[in-house]
């Protein structure tokens, strides 16, 4: 196998070293916003009347090969005025382009942040981009713009539960999505148990979701990558943006760093803060069971950059957020994320761009129980990531990307501390687990002809657990065994413990992850694409919930928990019409996954430092069709997406046990065969605009009791096969109206009115069954009868917020 991959790499480098035209020179530089000098990601720089062009990278940089002499260029970024310029080329040139944002009129409203035909000419497939403007136009619960809720409206993406802060992509679980904020991993993207995400839209530039054909630079998750970038802030003038809503308020400040010249200062800084304030009003209640409670969240975003020279720029960004819930005589819960990213951009020459990053991520939570035996439980997961990424613009046919990196993980399963002298809980510290993940990748975007382009690359990853404590050995190497007496699995028998020298590499795994996609452009407005990618995931979420919760526990791959592996193939047809006003796409995919773990019946991952004793290994598959039609310009804009899909899992038995569902395929808890989303915006006048979204999804699979029996006076339920039933179908309609206030050169404002779930649909978040006594209950007689109880999170929810900018 190694020989095959060496041959693969050799062929790739052979393509890269194809000869270049001696009469060509390099035009390079940055594309920026003319008002703030914010870098524009994905802007296109194209030679007029040709198919030759490039897109700016994640830092706004581009490099384009051009012929000697006069060259007509078009610089385009949706939402901005197209700039046409003629340049006389006699040598390599470095030149920045500043684009002016279009002033929206009644005849033109833009909701897409990508070039109109970018999906047609690019080798990227299964990729969706949303700008901060897109996200803010979508009605949301209690008026909070939310990037996670926005991407749940895209094809191939579904929400696990109502109000959930997670999402499922093409049959994958929520933990199989890599969520990045300025390159830092965000492990739990939720505030208030998932009703809101941790991403403040005022601090964001855009978000890109990769569902398939995932570029080689990304790895570590099976299903998708959500790459979110923060704004740099204006380097020309001080500005402030904010909003006051029913639930929370926010304020964003941006300012230049250093002396401001005609082209702006050398640096800029942005700080954005948000806080909810339910806790401010709770003490006003006369009810002592309410006025002592605490319930709030807050978050803080920071980003700055500084130009050291024409070739060097440094960036520093970070995020810190936290939730706090405290119910006296009940429980307390606190959880939060913290990230930090330090980057250095260096331009070696007009063709070679480098980004070096040092990144820190942390997620931790704390739970406190206040009854007689009070105790506190703390747990955390953190990582340090060092990486180097290079963009090498070889010529007008080759764009080479390569890089390497290393991630160091610390898994702290938790520590238990008794509270008070009356607590009988013993203090317990679980051993911290450590691991390291290294990777190297290379990728080439190669334009074979004007119509045929390919992207091919490979990522090689390596993962090892680092010894930090004694490792248990199980009898017959079985951490899980089947007990026929109870007809269920239980923990295997530990025969001994093996001690290793600290930081010894254990269970070393090597993953080869090829990626490829082909784009055949049928004509100027249509293309057909085919893609394949393999992904490895080395860390695993231990949770019986269907969406992220504060109690999310992660564990590294080990000798018993193998790395997850996913292979995906996809094909699609993409078409623009009406002078690129309409985009139509149809994609089909098939994904198969190895080492997919499911819990044994009755398992609880909490306070369990031996997760291998409650898991069964299996496989999974998912397949589907995705349809989308999008209108990006005019007074009426929006999109309609529909996904028809299937997500199944197979978990065979071991040690004589029958496994789950007798080893046959069963649908996963996030299988949604039908998923329809409609999003629309309409600009009625210069003052008023309206938006709405409608969602319909198949009900979530669940496991219900189907019968019961009595044993020693106890009523014991008998459950169906795993996920044999479904909740009722989910649907709702949200609307919003925006009223712009009086606008001056220094002040802008608007009111946003919204209604979530306007027809008050009582969607079931869960259905539970309770036994009640019927008959002569006073005499202690009667029989037990099971009744179903539906849990609903939201009915109709109105909202109002005031937003301003100066």
């Amino acid at each position: 196998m190694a020989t095959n991959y060496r041959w693969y790499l050799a062929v790739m480098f052979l393509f890269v070293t194809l000869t270049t035209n001696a009469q060509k020179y390099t035009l390079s530089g940055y594309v920026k916003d003319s008002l703030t000098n914010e870098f524009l990601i994905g802007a296109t720089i194209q030679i007029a009347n040709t198919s030759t062009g490039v897109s700016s990278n994640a830092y706004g940089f581009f490099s384009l090969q051009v012929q000697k002499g006069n060259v007509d260029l078009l610089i385009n970024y949706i939402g901005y005025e197209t700039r046409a310029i003629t340049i006389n080329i006699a040598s390599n040139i470095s030149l920045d382009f500043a684009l002016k944002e279009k002033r929206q009129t009644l005849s033109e409203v833009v909701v897409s942040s990508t070039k109109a035909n970018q999906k047609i000419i690019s080798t990227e497939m299964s990729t969706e981009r949303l700008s901060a403007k897109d996200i803010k136009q979508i009605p949301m619960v209690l008026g909070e713009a939310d990037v996670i809720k926005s991407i749940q409206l895209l094809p191939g993406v579904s929400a696990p539960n109502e109000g959930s802060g997670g999402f499922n992509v093409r049959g994958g679980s929520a933990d199989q999505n890599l969520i990045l904020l300025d390159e830092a991993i965000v492990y739990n993207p939720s505030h208030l148990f998932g009703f809101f995400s941790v991403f403040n839209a005022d601090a964001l530039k855009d978000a890109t979701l990769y569902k398939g054909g995932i570029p080689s630079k990304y790895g570590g998750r099976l299903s998708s990558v959500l790459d979110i970038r923060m704004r740099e802030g204006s380097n020309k003038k001080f500005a402030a943006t904010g909003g006051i809503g029913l639930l929370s308020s926010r304020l964003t400040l941006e300012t230049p760093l250093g002396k401001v010249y005609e082209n702006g200062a050398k640096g800029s800084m942005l700080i954005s803060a948000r806080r909810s304030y339910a806790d401010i009003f709770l003490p006003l209640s006369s009810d002592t069971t309410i006025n002592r409670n605490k319930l709030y969240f807050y978050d803080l975003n920071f980003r700055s950059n500084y130009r050291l020279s024409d070739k060097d720029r440094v960036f520093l960004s970070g995020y810190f957020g936290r939730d706090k819930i405290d119910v006296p005589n009940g429980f307390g819960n606190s959880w939060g994320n913290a990230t930090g990213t330090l980057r250095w951009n260096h331009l070696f020459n007009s063709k070679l761009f480098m980004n070096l990053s040092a990144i820190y991520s942390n997620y931790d939570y704390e739970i406190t129980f206040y009854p007689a035996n009070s105790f506190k439980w703390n747990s955390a997961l953190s990582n340090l990531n060092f990486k180097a990424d290079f963009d090498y613009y070889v010529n007008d046919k080759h764009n080479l990307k390569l890089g390497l990196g290393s991630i160091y993980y610390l898994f702290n399963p938790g520590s238990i501390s008794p509270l008070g002298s009356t607590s009988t809980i013993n203090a317990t510290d679980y051993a911290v687990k450590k691991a390291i993940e290294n990777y190297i990748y290379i990728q080439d975007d190669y334009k074979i002809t004007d119509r045929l382009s390919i992207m091919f690359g490979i990522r090689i990853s390596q993962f090892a657990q680092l010894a930090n404590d004694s490792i248990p050995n199980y009898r017959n190497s079985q951490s899980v065994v089947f007990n026929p007496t109870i007809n269920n699995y239980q923990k295997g028998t530990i025969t001994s413990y093996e001690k290793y020298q600290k930081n010894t590499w254990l269970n070393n795994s090597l993953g080869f992850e090829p990626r490829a996609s082909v784009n055949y452009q049928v004509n100027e407005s249509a293309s057909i694409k085919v893609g394949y990618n393999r992904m490895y995931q080395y860390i695993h979420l231990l949770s019986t919930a269907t969406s992220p919760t504060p109690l999310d526990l992660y564990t590294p791959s080990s000798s018993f928990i193998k790395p997850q592996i996913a292979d995906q193939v996809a094909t699609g047809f993409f078409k623009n019409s009406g002078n690129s006003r309409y985009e139509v796409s149809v994609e089909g995919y098939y994904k198969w996954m190895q080492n997919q773990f499911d819990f044994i019946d009755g398992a609880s991952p909490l306070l369990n430092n031996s997760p291998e004793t409650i898991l069964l290994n299996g496989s999974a598959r998912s397949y589907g069709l995705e349809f989308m039609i999008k209108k990006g310009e005019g007074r009426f804009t929006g999109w309609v997406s529909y996904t028809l899909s299937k997500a199944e899992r197979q978990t065979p038995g071991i040690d004589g046990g029958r496994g789950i569902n007798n080893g046959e395929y069963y649908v996963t808890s996030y299988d949604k065969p039908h998923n329809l989303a409609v999003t629309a915006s309409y600009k009625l006048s210069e003052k008023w605009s309206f938006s709405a979204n409608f969602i319909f999804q198949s009900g979530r699979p669940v496991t219900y009791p189907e019968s019961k029996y009595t044993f020693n006076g106890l009523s014991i339920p008998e459950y169906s096969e795993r996920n044999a039933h479904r909740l009722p179908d989910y649907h709702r309609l949200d609307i919003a109206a925006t009223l712009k206030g009086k606008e001056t050169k220094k002040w802008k404002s608007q009111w946003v009115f919204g209604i979530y779930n306007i027809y008050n649909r009582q969607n079931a978040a869960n259905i539970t069954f309770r036994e009640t006594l019927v008959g002569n209950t006073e005499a202690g007689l009667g029989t037990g009868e099971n009744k179903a109880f539906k849990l609903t999170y939201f009915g109709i929810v109105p909202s109002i917020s005031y937003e301003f900018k100066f």
Side-chain angles (χ1 to χ4, degrees), residues 525-540:
S525 62
S527 66
I528 299 172
K529 300 182 185 182
V530 178
Y532 164 79
N533 63 250
R534 165 170 279 206
M535 309 290 289
Y536 274 69
Q537 181 167 333
Y538 297 101
I539 67 173
H540 314 271

Side-chain angles (χ1 to χ4, degrees), residues 376-379 412-417 428-430:
K376 180 182 293 185
W377 175 30
N378 295 279
S379 184
N412 183 0
S415 60
I416 299 175
S417 306
T428 305
D429 289 316
Y430 294 102

Side-chain angles (χ1 to χ4, degrees), residues 20-58:
T20 59
N21 191 324
Q23 294 299 313
K24 287 188 176 181
Y25 295 98
T26 301
L27 170 66
S28 61
Y30 294 84
V31 184
K32 305 177 181 180
D33 182 297
S34 62
L35 184 63
T36 65
N37 274 349
E38 289 262 0
F39 296 126
L40 300 182
I41 303 172
T44 59
I45 304 89
Q46 189 169 3
I47 300 175
N49 301 317
T50 73
S51 60
T52 300
V54 295
S55 298
S56 57
N57 69 7

Side-chain angles (χ1 to χ4, degrees), residues 391-451:
D391 287 0
Y392 182 37
Y393 301 85
V394 183
N395 53 44
D396 57 354
K397 294 184 180 297
H398 290 278
N399 183 359
L400 187 67
K401 300 179 186 294
L402 63 159
L404 71 164
S406 182
I407 308 175
Y408 174 71
Y409 296 96
L410 282 177
F411 302 82
N412 183 0
S415 60
I416 299 175
S417 306
L419 297 178
S421 57
T422 61
S423 177
T424 60
I425 302 297
N426 295 323
T428 305
D429 289 316
Y430 294 102
V432 173
K433 298 178 181 179
K434 300 186 292 183
I436 188 167
E437 180 178 350
N438 303 303
Y439 63 88
I440 185 171
Y441 71 89
I442 185 170
Q443 175 180 303
D444 186 25
D445 282 293
Y446 176 41
K447 189 172 185 178
I448 301 175
T449 69
D450 288 343
R451 291 193 174 188

Side-chain angles (χ1 to χ4, degrees), residues 245 290 356 586 663 668 684 688:
I290 296 176
L356 293 182
V586 180
T668 66
L684 179 65
W688 283 99

Side-chain angles (χ1 to χ4, degrees), residues 700-724:
R700 177 172 60 86
V702 291
T703 305
Y704 286 153
E706 295 184 325
S707 61
K708 62 179 180 179
Y709 64 92
T710 302
F711 180 76
N712 286 339
L714 298 176
S715 181
I716 301 175
E718 286 276 3
Y719 285 87
S720 67
E721 296 290 352
R722 187 76 59 94
N723 296 334

Side-chain angles (χ1 to χ4, degrees), residues 728-732 757 759-763 792 794-796:
D729 291 338
Y730 177 96
H731 55 86
R732 74 168 198 271
N757 193 7
Y759 55 80
N760 198 32
R761 165 73 174 180
Q762 299 296 302
N763 289 298
T792 298
F794 293 111
I796 184 171

Side-chain angles (χ1 to χ4, degrees), residues 15 157 209 306 341 424 465 470 552 637 751:
F15 273 118
V157 185
L209 177 69
Y306 195 81
T341 305
T424 60
Q465 190 176 357
S470 298
D552 286 349
T637 60
W751 289 91

